[in-house]
Structure formats: structure tokens, C-alpha cells
Amino acid sequence: DTAVSQTPKYLVTQMGNDKSIKCEQNLGHDTMYWYKQDSKKFLKIMFSYNNKELIINETVPNRFSPKSPDKAHLNLHINSLELGDSAVYFCASSQDYGGFTFGSGTRLTVV
Amino acid sequence: QKEVEQNSGPLSVPEGAIASLNCTYSDRGSQSFFWYRQYSGKSPELIMSIYSNGDKEDGRFTAQLNKASQYVSLLIRDSQPSDSATYLCAVTGTASKLTFGTGTRLQVTL
């Protein structure tokens, strides 16, 4: 049973489209995150939700909108995709100050 | 100044040697410290966590933390080719935010 699962694994889309990435965790963790890993492999936090409440919102274009229907799910919707949005997006979850568990990543390519 | 700094490498060590990976952080209020390993095309995998000053050993891995110097390191003993990966230092400060360094690429040569 995968602890943190995200779909799809690969996403290729044209500029201007709207797309969503889904994430689910079965670890019972209270906090979930979206991270973006760019071409230089730098992992940068985008959003964090604790029990469905947004607690971290880094400097991210408002084309990116997270949604947490319950504490086990955190989805990411991206409007009007741009070339610069191409990256690998990782979902993660954690409990208290413990280590994070990451999903397998979604490689987004905007053409 | 970056919040978490690492030398990007590559750090090349022969098989069987000790690999030493270093990391410094800027937030003195940081509370939790982690080392993640990331193979190419894969997600980061937690290998060590450390919360108080001193050393913590787990198998071939030893994490060292010095809060006064704002320094955390990872030693890998008896390095194996399978240890070749990027090692990410990560630090948790306020608001449960995990901030990563840019990673050090380790190459273990035969």
C-alpha cells in the first residue's frame, strides 16, 4: 500500500491549459505539502495544509490553487499553464516535526 | 544568504571509504534536521533525522548536529556504489516548513 500517492505520474500539456494533480496519503498525518523541484533539482515548498487549513503559502503565482477536501487529500490545480511551470511536483505529508514522506512525483511538461 | 547551504559536488569517494556531507543553515530557531537521499528520477527518501546536538548513528550512517555552529553533517561509512545519489539536507523551523538545501551529489567509484 503506497503511503503517499499522487497522480498522474507524467503530464504533458500545451501552454494555456488548466490541469490538476491529485495527492492522497494513508499515513494518518495531519499536514500535507506541495513542493516543486526545478531543473536544477532544487526542492521548494509551495503550499502546506494542516487538517484542511492552509498554513503555508509561499510566493507562488495565483494560477496555482491547492484544495484539501479532507486531511488525507491535497490536490493542486494550475490555470493557464506556462513553459516555466515545467518541473517535477512532489506531494508530501508529515506528523508534528517528524520527517516528511514524499509521493513519487508528477513530471509536468508544458509545450 | 541561502537558508540551507550545501556543496553541490559531485563528491567522489572510492568504494569502502567514508563519505562526509556537510550542511549549514541560517535560522537559529530551527528545531529538526533531516537527511534525504534522492536517486535520479525518484522521490526524496528520509534516511536520517536528528533533533539534538551530538551524533546519531544508524547502521552505516551517522548524522552530526552542532546548533551553536548551525552545522549538520552526514557520514556514510563503507561507501557502496548503491550510495551514489543526491543527498539533501533539510531543516524545519517555524510553521512546520521543511526547507531543503540544493543537495550534494555523491559518486562512489569502484
Side-chain angles (χ1 to χ4, degrees), chain A residues 66-96:
Chain A
K67 282 189 172 48
S68 182
D70 56 61
K71 78 170 195 178
H73 295 84
L74 179 62
N75 303 323
L76 183 65
H77 188 76
I78 315 169
N79 288 327
S80 303
L81 278 155
E82 300 177 357
L83 292 176
D85 298 332
S86 297
V88 180
Y89 292 84
F90 286 102
C91 177
S93 71
S94 75
Q95 187 68 27
D96 300 325

Side-chain angles (χ1 to χ4, degrees), chain B:
Chain B
Q1 182 192 6
K2 289 182 184 172
E3 293 180 70
V4 180
E5 295 212 46
Q6 296 180 255
N7 188 320
S8 60
L11 172 67
S12 186
V13 300
E15 185 178 5
I18 295 175
S20 177
L21 304 160
N22 304 313
C23 171
T24 58
Y25 59 94
S26 61
D27 182 1
R28 283 200 170 273
S30 298
Q31 300 172 355
S32 308
F33 307 85
F34 306 93
W35 283 98
Y36 285 80
R37 177 176 61 200
Q38 187 174 26
Y39 293 112
S40 181
K42 301 295 185 182
S43 58
E45 173 194 9
L46 179 66
I47 54 172
M48 287 291 285
S49 59
I50 187 166
Y51 303 96
S52 54
N53 281 331
D55 294 1
K56 178 182 177 182
E57 187 174 318
D58 184 0
R60 295 187 296 113
F61 299 100
T62 299
Q64 299 173 317
L65 174 62
N66 183 328
K67 288 187 178 180
S69 302
Q70 294 173 248
Y71 176 88
V72 59
S73 65
L74 179 70
L75 299 177
I76 307 175
R77 286 181 300 282
D78 188 23
S79 294
Q80 302 297 309
S82 59
D83 295 326
S84 297
T86 296
Y87 289 80
L88 301 165
C89 174
V91 174
T92 300
T94 55
S96 300
K97 186 171 83 166
L98 189 65
T99 301
F100 284 87
T102 51
T104 298
R105 190 155 64 92
L106 174 66
Q107 292 177 339
V108 180
T109 57
L110 296 171

